[in-house]
Amino acid sequence: SSGINAEYGEEQPGYFKTLCTVPVSFRAYSPGLNKAHVTGSYPTVELTPQGELFRVRDLFFARDNYRMMRDLEEETREEFWEAYSYFRKQIDAPEQQLTLKLESREMVIMDNWRVFHGRHSFKPDGN
């Protein structure tokens, strides 16, 4: 988590500032029982008043690209996509990843706002 501030902020301070200031629009709809429709607009990286990392939002599956196109100036959009592409390249690098194979009845608990996470496909038989 502090690696984002220390490494990314020092390597590309302009990109880091962009990710901390440019609002990204999100929209998600859950057609289940509650039919939740959630929208919002937030910067990708949010800092505390002391400048420490508070949370990172990267809901690429819920990003509202149309609203971003409508609400942001072209130059700002270009700056955002350049900064975001660099950011994703850094966090997607294999050396930045930790892969765990959990055994039956094991689990991992993490702070969803401070750790990027995902999973590989798996089969119920454990292979």
Side-chain angles (χ1 to χ4, degrees):
S1 61
S2 61
I4 290 177
N5 289 28
E7 295 171 21
Y8 186 71
E10 289 176 10
E11 288 176 16
Q12 295 291 340
Y15 288 172
F16 188 71
K17 181 180 178 188
T18 295
L19 294 178
C20 290
T21 57
V22 174
V24 178
S25 300
F26 298 98
R27 176 181 306 272
Y29 176 70
S30 174
L33 293 175
N34 61 2
K35 295 185 177 12
H37 186 202
V38 180
T39 63
S41 189
Y42 314 96
T44 301
V45 176
E46 188 175 343
L47 304 177
T48 66
Q50 296 78 28
E52 297 295 318
L53 179 68
F54 177 62
R55 82 176 118 207
V56 177
R57 290 184 178 98
D58 188 24
L59 304 171
F60 61 88
F61 54 87
R63 190 171 39 237
D64 187 350
N65 291 325
Y66 170 76
R67 194 161 142 205
M68 287 177 64
M69 294 293 287
R70 182 192 70 196
D71 294 347
L72 297 175
E73 297 293 326
E74 182 177 356
E75 183 177 342
T76 303
R77 287 193 311 266
E78 289 173 2
E79 289 172 4
F80 168 78
W81 286 114
E82 186 176 329
Y84 178 75
S85 296
Y86 180 85
F87 176 66
R88 283 304 312 192
K89 182 178 175 187
Q90 301 308 307
I91 63 172
D92 288 339
E95 63 271 14
Q96 297 292 338
Q97 298 177 13
L98 171 65
T99 302
L100 303 172
K101 182 175 182 183
L102 301 178
E103 299 299 326
S104 177
R105 303 177 65 91
E106 289 184 325
M107 69 177 182
V108 174
I109 299 173
M110 64 190 80
D111 185 337
N112 200 39
W113 285 352
R114 299 188 49 128
V115 177
F116 281 95
H117 56 86
R119 68 172 177 84
H120 296 283
S121 62
F122 65 93
K123 296 179 183 174
D125 65 6
N127 293 318

